[in-house]
Amino acid sequence: MTLSEEDYIKAIYHLGKNENTTVSTNAIADRMDTKPSSVSDMVRKLSEKGIVNYRKYKGVSLTGTGIKTALALVRKHRLWEVFLVDKLNFSWDEVHEVAEQLEHIKSEKLVDGLDKYLGHPEVDPHGDPIPSKKGEFKKSIKKLLNEVPIGTKGVCVGVKDSSPPFLKFLDKKQISLGDTILVLDKEEFDASLHIKIKGKGIHISNQIAANLYLKITE
Amino acid sequence: MTLSEEDYIKAIYHLGKNENTTVSTNAIADRMDTKPSSVSDMVRKLSEKGIVNYRKYKGVSLTGTGIKTALALVRKHRLWEVFLVDKLNFSWDEVHEVAEQLEHIKSEKLVDGLDKYLGHPEVDPHGDPIPSKKGEFKKSIKKLLNEVPIGTKGVCVGVKDSSPPFLKFLDKKQISLGDTILVLDKEEFDASLHIKIKGKGIHISNQIAANLYLKITE
DNA sequence: ATTAAATTTTAGACAAAGCTAAAAATTTGT
DNA sequence: ACAAATTTTTAGCTTTGTCTAAAATTTAAT
């Protein structure tokens, strides 16, 4: 399996999102920053290898083998992201490019060792789930913080209101993208929230919560 | 800098060992398990890029830039080896192949972070010195354990007598390749040694010491 | 439903890195 | 010193992955 083949497999996997969705040549070319003609060539090759299902002009989808390969790559990518953030103090937004390289390293022992060393994490720093060795993983969805039930745990992945005052407020409260948030309790009176973030509990208004996106795995 | 170029640079560096020694085409081909004709091609390319000095039929040597590149690769390789052994419990002899892949990952922040995370190690699990970020490092030499002065610290890298009884003895004493050994004291009477290994002090005869190779950085 | 627009595939080239076989240069043996 | 042996380079071909331009197919629009 070459570098390039692996990149195509990942692209097809991410574009196919939900299931065995069939993906268009142009979509792949766009995502990979290459030309449709190159995609045609590679897709034919992957098809001959039994990694994708392909009918000319009709789009492409991953076979069982293809999905397994894709999940192994995603697993590696996300484990490395956890490593970079947890152990080497990379920040949320610096990890992707490096993980993109690291995911191509071939060594089963390395991946297993890393997984164990990191304590078998279930999500990466962006809140996306990490497939198990067998390829199992939970789906994750994005919701506004004020819409989730008590007890929900997730990663803060975005803001709805991106005005400077709001961002400044978040900064003051020490809430940053990538932080894990646990919803402890809700006030009935004003729908304000008690949450746990960075190890300590804080109290935020419903209005704040209504502008924070949480990625949760269910 | 492509993967392949980096591999050639490392090969030339290791063959040139001591200094700006000029290296032969055949030697490179042998070490890299490729053909001399391929080496000729690549060497011409590296020469055009200012990474090696090259005169047809006269051999090749690294330029200043070339040496800097080589040292950066060696640094990465050895840091990863330390990571694999110290953090992921790889054994002495499993690390090379994986480090060979990891050394090609491009990210200054990653290398610096790894170095710091590992506590700025000075030698890899084989006892070979790790170049600093600036490319400085101590030479290392191999000596028999009974020939080094008190206070010497090194890594056990080999045996002179490889007979089963001796190896069995080492096993019983829990002395393995890759262990760091510190010479604590020498008995004048029988030249036996007190050494520290795996955190605890033990006592070994001169005869044993005379059959253990230590790699020390001076 | 037939043409126009968009998408996809093919054909032909190119660069990187390798190989084989043959030519050129260097080294060695006598 | 000169022929033989060795080493190194060149020439030409292959594979992988890419590109451009042109052809084929599908989709959309009137």
Side-chain angles (χ1 to χ4, degrees), chain B residues 77-145:
Chain B
H77 183 102
R78 293 184 180 162
L79 283 174
W80 279 116
E81 288 194 341
V82 173
F83 170 74
L84 293 172
V85 167
D86 285 9
K87 305 296 184 184
L88 302 194
N89 296 115
F90 273 58
S91 73
W92 198 69
D93 50 320
E94 295 171 318
V95 295
H96 188 266
E97 188 197 353
V98 182
E100 204 70 12
Q101 296 180 62
L102 286 163
E103 74 189 1
H104 293 294
I105 304 292
K106 284 166 185 55
S107 164
E108 197 177 329
K109 192 171 161 87
L110 173 59
V111 184
D112 293 348
L114 196 60
D115 184 38
K116 187 175 171 192
Y117 182 56
L118 298 172
H120 306 290
E122 295 201 337
V123 296
D124 75 10
H126 308 94
D128 294 310
I130 299 174
S132 74
K133 193 172 179 180
K134 287 175 193 153
E136 300 147 342
F137 67 101
K138 296 175 181 153
K139 282 266 154 55
S140 86
I141 51 169
K142 214 168 79 173
K143 282 194 170 174
L144 287 170
L145 179 51

Side-chain angles (χ1 to χ4, degrees), chain A residues 2 4 8 34-35 37-38 41-42 45 57-58:
Chain A
T2 69
S4 201
Y8 274 94
T34 184
K35 303 293 167 186
S37 55
S38 309
D41 286 347
M42 181 57 90
K45 188 165 74 159
Y57 295 102
K58 296 298 183 188

Side-chain angles (χ1 to χ4, degrees), chain A residues 30-71:
Chain A
D30 267 18
R31 178 175 238 269
M32 298 196 56
D33 220 17
T34 184
K35 303 293 167 186
S37 55
S38 309
V39 175
S40 280
D41 286 347
M42 181 57 90
V43 150
R44 192 173 31 67
K45 188 165 74 159
L46 291 176
S47 167
E48 280 160 12
K49 289 196 174 187
I51 291 165
V52 301
N53 304 115
Y54 172 54
R55 277 172 41 233
K56 279 188 197 173
Y57 295 102
K58 296 298 183 188
V60 67
S61 65
L62 291 172
T63 63
T65 321
I67 290 174
K68 248 172 58 184
T69 310
L71 287 173

Side-chain angles (χ1 to χ4, degrees), chain A residues 53-145:
Chain A
N53 304 115
Y54 172 54
R55 277 172 41 233
K56 279 188 197 173
Y57 295 102
K58 296 298 183 188
V60 67
S61 65
L62 291 172
T63 63
T65 321
I67 290 174
K68 248 172 58 184
T69 310
L71 287 173
L73 286 166
V74 170
R75 171 172 163 77
K76 284 196 274 181
H77 183 102
R78 293 184 180 162
L79 283 173
W80 279 116
E81 287 194 343
V82 174
F83 170 72
L84 293 172
V85 168
D86 285 10
K87 305 296 185 184
L88 302 195
N89 296 115
F90 272 57
S91 74
W92 198 69
D93 51 318
E94 295 171 319
V95 296
H96 189 266
E97 188 197 353
V98 182
E100 205 70 13
Q101 296 180 61
L102 286 163
E103 75 189 1
H104 294 294
I105 304 291
K106 285 164 185 57
S107 163
E108 198 178 327
K109 191 172 162 88
L110 174 60
V111 184
D112 293 348
L114 196 60
D115 184 38
K116 186 174 172 193
Y117 182 56
L118 298 172
H120 307 290
E122 295 200 338
V123 296
D124 76 9
H126 308 94
D128 294 311
I130 299 175
S132 75
K133 193 172 180 180
K134 287 175 193 152
E136 301 147 342
F137 66 103
K138 295 175 182 153
K139 282 266 154 56
S140 86
I141 52 170
K142 214 167 78 173
K143 282 194 170 174
L144 286 171
L145 179 50

Side-chain angles (χ1 to χ4, degrees), chain B residues 1 6 9-10 51 63-74:
Chain B
M1 191 80 57
E6 291 190 344
I9 292 167
K10 259 192 56 177
I51 290 166
T63 63
T65 320
I67 290 173
K68 249 172 56 183
T69 309
L71 286 173
L73 287 166
V74 169

